[in-house]
Amino acid sequence: MNNLTDKDRVLIFDTTLRDGEQSPGATMTHEEKLEIAELLDDMGVDIIEAGFPIASEGDFRAVSEIAKRAKNAVICGLSRANFKDIDRCAEAIRHAAQPRIHTFIGTSPLHRAIPDLTQDEMADRIHETVTHARNLCDNVQWSPMDATRTEWDYLCRVVEIAIKAGAGTINIPDTVGYTAPVESADLIKRLIETVPGADEVVFATHCHNDLGMATANSLAAVAGGARQVECTINGLGERAGNTALEEVVMALKVRNDIMPWHTGIDTTKIMHISRRVATVSGFNVQFNKAIVGKNAFAHESGIHQDGMLKNRDNFEIMRPEDVGLSGTSLPLGKHSGRAALRDKLEHLGYEVGDNQLKDIFVRFKELADRKKEVFDDDLIALMHSGENAEADHLQIVSMKVVCGTGGPAEATVEMEIDGKDVTATAHGDGPVDATFKAIREIYPNKARLQLYQVSAVTAGTDAQATVSVRLEEDGMIATGQSANTDTVVASAKAYVNALNRLLVRREKTGPGADTREISYKDVM
Ligand code: KIV
Ligand code: ZN
């Protein structure tokens, strides 16, 4: 049975690379976008919204490259309701085996006021733009932005226009996270019952999480007849985020008794992609986040552990393995060899080539010398710490930090800049401040520190700290990461990693190229 004839199949539309990446600070590099798209494709996502091609040269390049590479998924680009946007979008997705244009306009009274269009003018605009998109691509999705605050009669009218103009998917966004489950189900159900031609198209739901109801609202919309859920990995997205893919998919799997619909997602790939999205976006997952949080499968309290030992079902409604967490995880140690490391990394979802393995093995040995047991989380941190890569312009060579209660901290940092050795000493309010000042003395820059985040990878005082540093310079944002058993060393390396990324971004984009602010006001 294919997706269209299987009435119980819910299509998963992932917008991590568009709505997710739109979240301030979550900017990803070109390579990171390609990697995430490949993981999404591989896990069975039906439609990948790869970006907003008119927004920037970088977005355009990413959407076109993802379109060329996708193996299974439909590749979709977003466009506002104007011909220029739609043409650019069509151009970006044209190499996809299965392309889709997604065009939208804000239909609620508040959003209609932005381009200052009357109801009739907007209705005409919808007819013209969906028709134009349909002339360029057979697969068109249309969204009335802020649908949940749009007048009922007007919503029915514009949905009918979009269907008549050839849209095959009608997405009903809860743009500001305002709706509630009962209302969400009812809205989709009534639209399907009321709008002529509604039974010929797929209805989609796109919920934001401002009131913490995005997953509930999406599932309710499915109960009301929606057969496409729009979501992001880890719920990444503007403000409180979008519906989390992993929550919808696992809810449908675990509670299939009362929600008899299914998706095509390979759930064992969830943890790996969740970690990658957290790393590349710099948005850590909260420990108690459903499905993918560090504590989601942890059973710490004595009473829970006792219950678990007697019968896992006492406290576990799904198995960690279902989402790709390895059941048993024996730590590696300093006597573990290359084969054991490769085996463990493969188990964690990483395919490493011989050269990469050589590099990771050296760093693994260094870590194992400092730390008796190297756990899965240590290895994941190692895989993603922005350690000095050979191609990096800036590298930390050595550092010495003195701190105490008697005065300011002092840091002496030695760095290599394009092969030249430079050393500086600086004082600061604590060891990290002193270290960052020394780095700025060696490599003066005007990047602003937007985020400095430290978390312990595992338990114990010898635990590695992972540090994320987000820098902003002239509208360009870069996130650096590093992990080390020494928090100050990890901080310095994460800072330098972010500086290296800023440098790459500057070289690739030139002044201002990737920083254009797009406005929802530009309708025509
Ligand atoms: O939230 C929203 O309304 C959107 C649209 C562009 C679909 O993201
Ligand atoms: Zn959205």
Side-chain angles (χ1 to χ4, degrees):
M1 217 175 334
N2 68 31
N3 302 346
L4 292 173
T5 50
D6 181 356
K7 297 282 178 236
D8 297 332
R9 171 78 144 81
V10 175
L11 298 171
I12 295 295
F13 175 109
D14 182 278
T15 183
T16 306
L17 297 172
R18 198 280 298 169
D19 221 344
E21 214 241 355
Q22 218 163 289
S23 164
T27 328
M28 300 174 199
T29 64
H30 184 71
E31 285 69 29
E32 286 163 351
K33 287 182 190 173
L34 300 189
E35 184 200 338
I36 299 300
E38 191 180 337
L39 293 174
L40 291 169
D41 198 12
D42 202 43
M43 86 189 292
V45 162
D46 299 282
I47 305 110
I48 298 173
E49 188 162 55
F52 199 168
I54 197 88
S56 73
E57 217 25 68
D59 253 51
F60 181 86
R61 271 197 319 123
V63 177
S64 353
E65 197 52 41
I66 291 168
K68 282 181 201 152
R69 294 183 183 202
K71 293 196 182 81
N72 310 305
V74 171
I75 300 301
C76 173
L78 183 71
S79 55
R80 289 163 299 185
N82 69 64
F83 288 7
K84 203 166 148 224
D85 267 44
I86 293 170
D87 292 347
R88 190 79 175 137
C89 181
E91 174 68 17
I93 54 165
R94 88 191 152 97
H95 293 296
Q98 302 175 77
R100 174 182 291 187
I101 295 177
H102 177 194
T103 181
F104 75 98
I105 194 163
T107 51
S108 66
L110 281 167
H111 284 259
R112 285 199 305 269
I114 300 175
D116 196 19
L117 294 179
T118 64
Q119 286 197 353
D120 288 346
E121 285 165 347
M122 184 166 282
D124 288 346
R125 186 64 45 83
I126 292 162
H127 172 74
E128 284 163 23
T129 49
V130 175
T131 306
H132 183 67
R134 192 64 174 74
N135 287 337
L136 299 172
C137 183
D138 284 345
N139 188 341
V140 171
Q141 167 167 331
W142 179 73
S143 297
M145 188 164 74
D146 206 16
T148 53
R149 293 192 300 167
T150 300
E151 306 91 324
W152 166 249
D153 288 345
Y154 190 58
L155 186 61
C156 289
R157 178 177 166 198
V158 288
V159 166
E160 185 179 350
I161 289 171
I163 294 174
K164 285 208 174 111
T169 304
I170 300 293
N171 176 36
I172 302 298
D174 183 30
T175 305
V176 290
Y178 180 71
T179 199
V182 177
E183 201 177 60
S184 177
D186 186 58
L187 181 61
I188 300 285
K189 186 167 175 284
R190 283 200 298 145
L191 281 169
I192 294 174
E193 284 167 359
T194 312
V195 177
D199 50 349
E200 301 290 320
V201 301
V202 172
F203 272 79
T205 176
H206 176 114
C207 299
H208 282 264
N209 203 29
D210 298 66
L211 291 173
M213 293 193 283
T215 298
N217 287 336
S218 300
L219 292 169
V222 172
R227 287 296 175 268
Q228 176 176 303
V229 173
E230 307 210 350
C231 44
T232 60
I233 301 292
N234 299 340
L236 192 68
E238 289 198 78
R239 306 185 311 279
N242 289 63
T243 302
L245 178 148
E246 62 277 7
E247 293 177 12
V248 168
V249 169
M250 289 311 290
L252 290 178
K253 190 175 162 107
V254 174
R255 294 310 312 273
N256 202 254
D257 54 333
I258 54 161
M259 294 184 282
W261 307 287
H262 56 271
T263 71
I265 298 293
D266 175 354
T267 63
T268 64
K269 306 254 161 99
I270 285 178
M271 267 328 287
H272 181 62
I273 192 163
S274 160
R275 287 176 181 135
R276 288 304 293 138
V277 168
T279 304
V280 302
S281 66
F283 277 60
N284 283 352
V285 174
Q286 80 195 48
F287 280 17
N288 57 340
K289 160 89 179 61
I291 319 292
V292 291
K294 217 177 167 70
N295 291 354
F297 293 93
H299 301 278
E300 295 268 341
S301 77
I303 191 163
H304 277 212
Q305 286 185 347
D306 186 47
M308 281 289 289
L309 288 173
K310 291 198 171 94
N311 182 351
R312 288 175 77 170
D313 290 342
N314 279 334
F315 288 104
E316 218 170 63
I317 57 165
M318 55 199 151
R319 299 281 178 254
E321 302 86 70
D322 294 345
V323 298
L325 275 170
S326 47
T328 55
S329 69
L330 289 178
L332 298 180
K334 68 177 177 184
H335 298 298
S336 305
R338 218 174 273 221
L341 178 64
R342 187 197 285 272
D343 190 59
K344 179 70 97 176
L345 290 175
E346 274 170 10
H347 202 61
L348 291 171
Y350 298 96
E351 274 175 39
V352 285
D354 288 344
N355 281 343
Q356 198 188 0
L357 183 68
K358 225 159 108 190
D359 169 57
I360 300 288
F361 190 65
V362 172
R363 285 160 50 205
F364 158 70
K365 283 285 178 186
E366 280 167 15
L367 179 64
D369 271 343
R370 279 181 274 131
K371 207 173 177 287
K372 224 172 85 205
E373 293 178 310
V374 178
F375 297 97
D376 290 0
D377 285 337
D378 288 317
L379 287 177
I380 291 164
L382 203 67
M383 286 296 290
H384 304 303
S385 85
E387 295 291 318
N388 295 347
E390 267 172 41
D392 284 349
H393 294 279
L394 316 172
Q395 316 228 2
I396 299 266
V397 178
S398 69
M399 48 190 285
K400 190 168 173 214
V401 180
V402 183
C403 58
T405 50
E410 181 184 282
T412 302
V413 179
E414 181 190 355
M415 283 176 68
E416 200 182 290
I417 304 185
D418 291 329
K420 249 180 66 195
D421 234 48
V422 195
T423 301
T425 297
H427 295 94
D429 193 3
V432 175
D433 188 45
T435 304
F436 283 15
K437 279 184 176 146
I439 294 171
R440 272 199 300 274
E441 208 157 296
I442 295 172
Y443 182 73
N445 64 83
K446 50 186 176 67
R448 258 183 353 99
L449 185 68
Q450 277 200 335
L451 171 99
Y452 169 70
Q453 193 166 273
V454 185
S455 49
V457 176
T458 52
T461 49
D462 68 346
Q464 286 197 94
T466 39
V467 177
S468 298
V469 167
R470 193 187 303 141
L471 299 176
E472 185 270 338
E473 188 189 72
D474 294 334
M476 270 183 286
I477 292 168
T479 304
Q481 305 253 346
S482 190
N484 200 288
T485 46
D486 185 318
T487 309
V488 186
V489 173
S491 304
K493 289 190 169 177
Y495 184 50
V496 169
N497 183 228
L499 284 173
N500 277 315
R501 283 164 164 245
L502 262 185
L503 274 171
V504 172
R505 207 154 286 185
R506 227 188 276 153
E507 278 164 13
K508 274 196 182 146
T509 55
D514 236 21
T515 59
R516 180 158 109 70
E517 284 286 321
I518 54 116
S519 150
Y520 289 142
K521 187 166 130 272
D522 295 340
V523 171
M524 215 55 180

